[in-house]
Amino acid sequence: MAQGLGYDVVEGWEQLPKGYAHRDVAGVAVDGEDRVFLICRGDHPIIAYDRKGNFLHSWGEGLFTLRTHGISIASDGTLWCSDDGNHTVRQFTPQGKLLRTLGTLNTPSDTGYDGKDTMTVSRPGGPFNRPTNLAIGPSGDLYVSDGYGNCRVHQFSPTGTLKRSWGVPGTGPGQFILPHGIAVAADGRVFVCDRENDRIQIFSPDGEYLTEWTDTQRPTHLVFDGQGRAHVSELWWHKGQTSRRHGPITEPRYGRVSVLDRDGRVLARWGSPDAVAAGSFAAPHGIAVDSKGDLYVAEVTWTFAVSRGLAPDGTHTFQKFALKA
């Protein structure tokens, strides 16, 4: 690990209440008080902890489908939750009161998507067709990656008015195959995890293509810390799959987490072929960083690994990593 940057897995951090379970944790976010919010696929969609892993509360029962996807927290402490099963991104109070909805409930846009295969997206559509994540810019603008059933980024004003959208299907600059995660840097640049193209594309605040980072693997989400470092969760390529960048996968490329500097250079990177081991990953899908630089990684272990016979039931779905002093 470069520049002495290192992390230790904190086993047993999450004190999940008795009777609770989450076979998939789709996303994670940390608020200004270092409270940790999970968005899960299960009976308790939103679960909140304090920084020590003590359970605070849960909510969201009946509000979400089984396809919750992403979560982010605004500076006012409100939560933005994407649900690719009902095609909305909704804003809630930390206690679960619905404040605002982007998109039309259960009404996907027309993109040619067949409902199963992202590669069937043949044309761009409006908001939304299975949206994935939301990020907030310095001016308060809202940026939504609209991925599984679309190929776009949508930019909204702070009040929720659609300002512009960009992206078409493909592998060229400004084109996407499953825009999956999104983050906005302090200078307003928009970073999009173009998952199936194995890259992170970087745009101006108004959607002008600037450059891309290609030293990444199926990036699922990205967050910045206070020093401008980018933290990226990266999904497995399993044998038999086909990467748009690397072609047919003949040997597994294991899931990992990478920490990158402002220019995309690797500062730390870890993971291993043993998906079950503490500190390794079965299906890294969401990531968050707190004020101390500690990382939280959400995994869709059931959907991506257990249900496909790639990991045993009971494999971790959420892990904390402490930044070494």
Side-chain angles (χ1 to χ4, degrees), residues 143 153 166 182-185 187-192 201-207 210:
Y143 296 86
V153 171
W166 70 87
I182 191 164
V184 182
D187 62 7
R189 288 177 301 156
V190 182
F191 290 65
V192 183
Q201 295 198 65
I202 304 171
F203 300 88
S204 74
D206 295 332
L210 300 175

PDB file of all heavy atoms in Angstrom, residues 143 153 166 182-185 187-192 201-207 210:
ATOM      1  N   TYR A 143     -27.435  14.718  -8.845  1.00  0.00           N
ATOM      2  CA  TYR A 143     -27.016  13.926  -9.998  1.00  0.00           C
ATOM      3  C   TYR A 143     -27.390  12.474  -9.742  1.00  0.00           C
ATOM      4  O   TYR A 143     -27.000  11.894  -8.717  1.00  0.00           O
ATOM      5  CB  TYR A 143     -25.513  14.035 -10.221  1.00  0.00           C
ATOM      6  CG  TYR A 143     -25.023  15.421 -10.570  1.00  0.00           C
ATOM      7  CD1 TYR A 143     -24.721  16.340  -9.569  1.00  0.00           C
ATOM      8  CD2 TYR A 143     -24.853  15.810 -11.897  1.00  0.00           C
ATOM      9  CE1 TYR A 143     -24.264  17.621  -9.882  1.00  0.00           C
ATOM     10  CE2 TYR A 143     -24.396  17.083 -12.220  1.00  0.00           C
ATOM     11  CZ  TYR A 143     -24.103  17.980 -11.208  1.00  0.00           C
ATOM     12  OH  TYR A 143     -23.644  19.238 -11.524  1.00  0.00           O
ATOM     13  N   VAL A 153     -26.979   9.862 -17.042  1.00  0.00           N
ATOM     14  CA  VAL A 153     -26.897  10.637 -15.813  1.00  0.00           C
ATOM     15  C   VAL A 153     -27.900  11.773 -15.944  1.00  0.00           C
ATOM     16  O   VAL A 153     -27.959  12.444 -16.985  1.00  0.00           O
ATOM     17  CB  VAL A 153     -25.483  11.197 -15.587  1.00  0.00           C
ATOM     18  CG1 VAL A 153     -25.471  12.177 -14.420  1.00  0.00           C
ATOM     19  CG2 VAL A 153     -24.495  10.056 -15.334  1.00  0.00           C
ATOM     20  N   TRP A 166     -27.424  13.212 -19.775  1.00  0.00           N
ATOM     21  CA  TRP A 166     -26.444  12.850 -20.792  1.00  0.00           C
ATOM     22  C   TRP A 166     -26.127  11.361 -20.733  1.00  0.00           C
ATOM     23  O   TRP A 166     -26.322  10.723 -19.719  1.00  0.00           O
ATOM     24  CB  TRP A 166     -25.179  13.692 -20.673  1.00  0.00           C
ATOM     25  CG  TRP A 166     -24.289  13.458 -19.483  1.00  0.00           C
ATOM     26  CD1 TRP A 166     -23.283  12.537 -19.363  1.00  0.00           C
ATOM     27  CD2 TRP A 166     -24.288  14.190 -18.253  1.00  0.00           C
ATOM     28  NE1 TRP A 166     -22.662  12.644 -18.136  1.00  0.00           N
ATOM     29  CE2 TRP A 166     -23.253  13.655 -17.443  1.00  0.00           C
ATOM     30  CE3 TRP A 166     -25.050  15.249 -17.749  1.00  0.00           C
ATOM     31  CZ2 TRP A 166     -22.975  14.133 -16.154  1.00  0.00           C
ATOM     32  CZ3 TRP A 166     -24.770  15.720 -16.474  1.00  0.00           C
ATOM     33  CH2 TRP A 166     -23.750  15.160 -15.698  1.00  0.00           C
ATOM     34  N   ILE A 182     -22.097   7.078  -8.433  1.00  0.00           N
ATOM     35  CA  ILE A 182     -21.844   8.461  -8.834  1.00  0.00           C
ATOM     36  C   ILE A 182     -21.403   9.262  -7.611  1.00  0.00           C
ATOM     37  O   ILE A 182     -21.872   9.020  -6.496  1.00  0.00           O
ATOM     38  CB  ILE A 182     -23.100   9.068  -9.496  1.00  0.00           C
ATOM     39  CG1 ILE A 182     -22.787  10.402 -10.167  1.00  0.00           C
ATOM     40  CG2 ILE A 182     -24.263   9.168  -8.519  1.00  0.00           C
ATOM     41  CD1 ILE A 182     -23.868  10.858 -11.140  1.00  0.00           C
ATOM     42  N   ALA A 183     -20.484  10.178  -7.829  1.00  0.00           N
ATOM     43  CA  ALA A 183     -20.001  11.057  -6.764  1.00  0.00           C
ATOM     44  C   ALA A 183     -19.613  12.387  -7.384  1.00  0.00           C
ATOM     45  O   ALA A 183     -19.267  12.465  -8.569  1.00  0.00           O
ATOM     46  CB  ALA A 183     -18.806  10.437  -6.041  1.00  0.00           C
ATOM     47  N   VAL A 184     -19.665  13.447  -6.582  1.00  0.00           N
ATOM     48  CA  VAL A 184     -19.258  14.769  -7.039  1.00  0.00           C
ATOM     49  C   VAL A 184     -18.113  15.254  -6.163  1.00  0.00           C
ATOM     50  O   VAL A 184     -18.222  15.259  -4.930  1.00  0.00           O
ATOM     51  CB  VAL A 184     -20.431  15.770  -6.996  1.00  0.00           C
ATOM     52  CG1 VAL A 184     -19.983  17.124  -7.528  1.00  0.00           C
ATOM     53  CG2 VAL A 184     -21.616  15.249  -7.808  1.00  0.00           C
ATOM     54  N   ALA A 185     -17.009  15.637  -6.793  1.00  0.00           N
ATOM     55  CA  ALA A 185     -15.854  16.146  -6.062  1.00  0.00           C
ATOM     56  C   ALA A 185     -16.128  17.562  -5.573  1.00  0.00           C
ATOM     57  O   ALA A 185     -17.080  18.221  -5.997  1.00  0.00           O
ATOM     58  CB  ALA A 185     -14.616  16.116  -6.957  1.00  0.00           C
ATOM     59  N   ASP A 187     -14.736  20.229  -6.280  1.00  0.00           N
ATOM     60  CA  ASP A 187     -14.678  21.227  -7.350  1.00  0.00           C
ATOM     61  C   ASP A 187     -15.828  21.111  -8.331  1.00  0.00           C
ATOM     62  O   ASP A 187     -15.878  21.821  -9.337  1.00  0.00           O
ATOM     63  CB  ASP A 187     -13.345  21.147  -8.093  1.00  0.00           C
ATOM     64  CG  ASP A 187     -13.113  19.795  -8.784  1.00  0.00           C
ATOM     65  OD1 ASP A 187     -14.043  18.962  -8.810  1.00  0.00           O
ATOM     66  OD2 ASP A 187     -11.993  19.570  -9.280  1.00  0.00           O
ATOM     67  N   GLY A 188     -16.781  20.210  -8.061  1.00  0.00           N
ATOM     68  CA  GLY A 188     -17.976  20.082  -8.885  1.00  0.00           C
ATOM     69  C   GLY A 188     -17.901  19.046  -9.978  1.00  0.00           C
ATOM     70  O   GLY A 188     -18.918  18.759 -10.628  1.00  0.00           O
ATOM     71  N   ARG A 189     -16.726  18.459 -10.224  1.00  0.00           N
ATOM     72  CA  ARG A 189     -16.632  17.420 -11.245  1.00  0.00           C
ATOM     73  C   ARG A 189     -17.460  16.201 -10.836  1.00  0.00           C
ATOM     74  O   ARG A 189     -17.511  15.841  -9.663  1.00  0.00           O
ATOM     75  CB  ARG A 189     -15.183  17.012 -11.478  1.00  0.00           C
ATOM     76  CG  ARG A 189     -14.333  18.042 -12.211  1.00  0.00           C
ATOM     77  CD  ARG A 189     -12.900  17.566 -12.324  1.00  0.00           C
ATOM     78  NE  ARG A 189     -12.324  17.323 -11.004  1.00  0.00           N
ATOM     79  CZ  ARG A 189     -11.308  16.491 -10.775  1.00  0.00           C
ATOM     80  NH1 ARG A 189     -10.770  15.797 -11.764  1.00  0.00           N
ATOM     81  NH2 ARG A 189     -10.843  16.341  -9.544  1.00  0.00           N
ATOM     82  N   VAL A 190     -18.058  15.574 -11.845  1.00  0.00           N
ATOM     83  CA  VAL A 190     -18.959  14.448 -11.619  1.00  0.00           C
ATOM     84  C   VAL A 190     -18.255  13.160 -12.049  1.00  0.00           C
ATOM     85  O   VAL A 190     -17.822  13.033 -13.194  1.00  0.00           O
ATOM     86  CB  VAL A 190     -20.268  14.628 -12.411  1.00  0.00           C
ATOM     87  CG1 VAL A 190     -21.220  13.468 -12.137  1.00  0.00           C
ATOM     88  CG2 VAL A 190     -20.931  15.959 -12.041  1.00  0.00           C
ATOM     89  N   PHE A 191     -18.144  12.219 -11.123  1.00  0.00           N
ATOM     90  CA  PHE A 191     -17.466  10.946 -11.351  1.00  0.00           C
ATOM     91  C   PHE A 191     -18.522   9.846 -11.442  1.00  0.00           C
ATOM     92  O   PHE A 191     -19.319   9.672 -10.513  1.00  0.00           O
ATOM     93  CB  PHE A 191     -16.499  10.638 -10.213  1.00  0.00           C
ATOM     94  CG  PHE A 191     -15.281  11.524 -10.170  1.00  0.00           C
ATOM     95  CD1 PHE A 191     -15.389  12.890  -9.919  1.00  0.00           C
ATOM     96  CD2 PHE A 191     -14.006  10.995 -10.376  1.00  0.00           C
ATOM     97  CE1 PHE A 191     -14.264  13.706  -9.878  1.00  0.00           C
ATOM     98  CE2 PHE A 191     -12.874  11.796 -10.339  1.00  0.00           C
ATOM     99  CZ  PHE A 191     -13.008  13.158 -10.093  1.00  0.00           C
ATOM    100  N   VAL A 192     -18.512   9.103 -12.536  1.00  0.00           N
ATOM    101  CA  VAL A 192     -19.528   8.087 -12.773  1.00  0.00           C
ATOM    102  C   VAL A 192     -18.872   6.716 -12.916  1.00  0.00           C
ATOM    103  O   VAL A 192     -17.987   6.526 -13.762  1.00  0.00           O
ATOM    104  CB  VAL A 192     -20.350   8.408 -14.041  1.00  0.00           C
ATOM    105  CG1 VAL A 192     -21.458   7.359 -14.222  1.00  0.00           C
ATOM    106  CG2 VAL A 192     -20.942   9.811 -13.963  1.00  0.00           C
ATOM    107  N   GLN A 201     -15.786   7.449 -15.454  1.00  0.00           N
ATOM    108  CA  GLN A 201     -15.764   8.613 -16.339  1.00  0.00           C
ATOM    109  C   GLN A 201     -15.942   9.885 -15.509  1.00  0.00           C
ATOM    110  O   GLN A 201     -16.693   9.907 -14.532  1.00  0.00           O
ATOM    111  CB  GLN A 201     -16.858   8.517 -17.388  1.00  0.00           C
ATOM    112  CG  GLN A 201     -16.676   7.363 -18.367  1.00  0.00           C
ATOM    113  CD  GLN A 201     -17.511   7.552 -19.620  1.00  0.00           C
ATOM    114  OE1 GLN A 201     -17.299   8.472 -20.393  1.00  0.00           O
ATOM    115  NE2 GLN A 201     -18.489   6.661 -19.810  1.00  0.00           N
ATOM    116  N   ILE A 202     -15.260  10.948 -15.935  1.00  0.00           N
ATOM    117  CA  ILE A 202     -15.263  12.206 -15.199  1.00  0.00           C
ATOM    118  C   ILE A 202     -15.796  13.304 -16.110  1.00  0.00           C
ATOM    119  O   ILE A 202     -15.356  13.455 -17.259  1.00  0.00           O
ATOM    120  CB  ILE A 202     -13.844  12.549 -14.707  1.00  0.00           C
ATOM    121  CG1 ILE A 202     -13.293  11.390 -13.860  1.00  0.00           C
ATOM    122  CG2 ILE A 202     -13.855  13.849 -13.895  1.00  0.00           C
ATOM    123  CD1 ILE A 202     -11.825  11.532 -13.498  1.00  0.00           C
ATOM    124  N   PHE A 203     -16.745  14.072 -15.577  1.00  0.00           N
ATOM    125  CA  PHE A 203     -17.432  15.101 -16.346  1.00  0.00           C
ATOM    126  C   PHE A 203     -17.386  16.445 -15.616  1.00  0.00           C
ATOM    127  O   PHE A 203     -17.214  16.506 -14.393  1.00  0.00           O
ATOM    128  CB  PHE A 203     -18.902  14.705 -16.556  1.00  0.00           C
ATOM    129  CG  PHE A 203     -19.091  13.413 -17.291  1.00  0.00           C
ATOM    130  CD1 PHE A 203     -19.128  12.207 -16.609  1.00  0.00           C
ATOM    131  CD2 PHE A 203     -19.223  13.393 -18.669  1.00  0.00           C
ATOM    132  CE1 PHE A 203     -19.302  11.005 -17.274  1.00  0.00           C
ATOM    133  CE2 PHE A 203     -19.392  12.189 -19.352  1.00  0.00           C
ATOM    134  CZ  PHE A 203     -19.432  10.998 -18.660  1.00  0.00           C
ATOM    135  N   SER A 204     -17.595  17.510 -16.376  1.00  0.00           N
ATOM    136  CA  SER A 204     -17.802  18.816 -15.775  1.00  0.00           C
ATOM    137  C   SER A 204     -19.149  18.822 -15.058  1.00  0.00           C
ATOM    138  O   SER A 204     -19.972  17.916 -15.265  1.00  0.00           O
ATOM    139  CB  SER A 204     -17.780  19.904 -16.848  1.00  0.00           C
ATOM    140  OG  SER A 204     -18.991  19.860 -17.598  1.00  0.00           O
ATOM    141  N   PRO A 205     -19.435  19.843 -14.241  1.00  0.00           N
ATOM    142  CA  PRO A 205     -20.741  19.889 -13.572  1.00  0.00           C
ATOM    143  C   PRO A 205     -21.922  19.883 -14.525  1.00  0.00           C
ATOM    144  O   PRO A 205     -23.024  19.493 -14.128  1.00  0.00           O
ATOM    145  CB  PRO A 205     -20.670  21.203 -12.782  1.00  0.00           C
ATOM    146  CG  PRO A 205     -19.214  21.416 -12.529  1.00  0.00           C
ATOM    147  CD  PRO A 205     -18.539  20.922 -13.772  1.00  0.00           C
ATOM    148  N   ASP A 206     -21.704  20.280 -15.782  1.00  0.00           N
ATOM    149  CA  ASP A 206     -22.789  20.317 -16.762  1.00  0.00           C
ATOM    150  C   ASP A 206     -22.739  19.159 -17.755  1.00  0.00           C
ATOM    151  O   ASP A 206     -23.401  19.200 -18.791  1.00  0.00           O
ATOM    152  CB  ASP A 206     -22.764  21.644 -17.518  1.00  0.00           C
ATOM    153  CG  ASP A 206     -23.062  22.830 -16.605  1.00  0.00           C
ATOM    154  OD1 ASP A 206     -23.773  22.639 -15.600  1.00  0.00           O
ATOM    155  OD2 ASP A 206     -22.583  23.938 -16.900  1.00  0.00           O
ATOM    156  N   GLY A 207     -21.931  18.136 -17.461  1.00  0.00           N
ATOM    157  CA  GLY A 207     -21.973  16.935 -18.265  1.00  0.00           C
ATOM    158  C   GLY A 207     -20.988  16.853 -19.401  1.00  0.00           C
ATOM    159  O   GLY A 207     -21.082  15.938 -20.234  1.00  0.00           O
ATOM    160  N   LEU A 210     -14.607  14.915 -19.575  1.00  0.00           N
ATOM    161  CA  LEU A 210     -13.268  15.441 -19.318  1.00  0.00           C
ATOM    162  C   LEU A 210     -12.194  14.377 -19.501  1.00  0.00           C
ATOM    163  O   LEU A 210     -11.244  14.563 -20.244  1.00  0.00           O
ATOM    164  CB  LEU A 210     -13.190  16.024 -17.902  1.00  0.00           C
ATOM    165  CG  LEU A 210     -14.150  17.176 -17.589  1.00  0.00           C
ATOM    166  CD1 LEU A 210     -14.045  17.567 -16.120  1.00  0.00           C
ATOM    167  CD2 LEU A 210     -13.879  18.376 -18.493  1.00  0.00           C
TER     168      LEU A 210
END
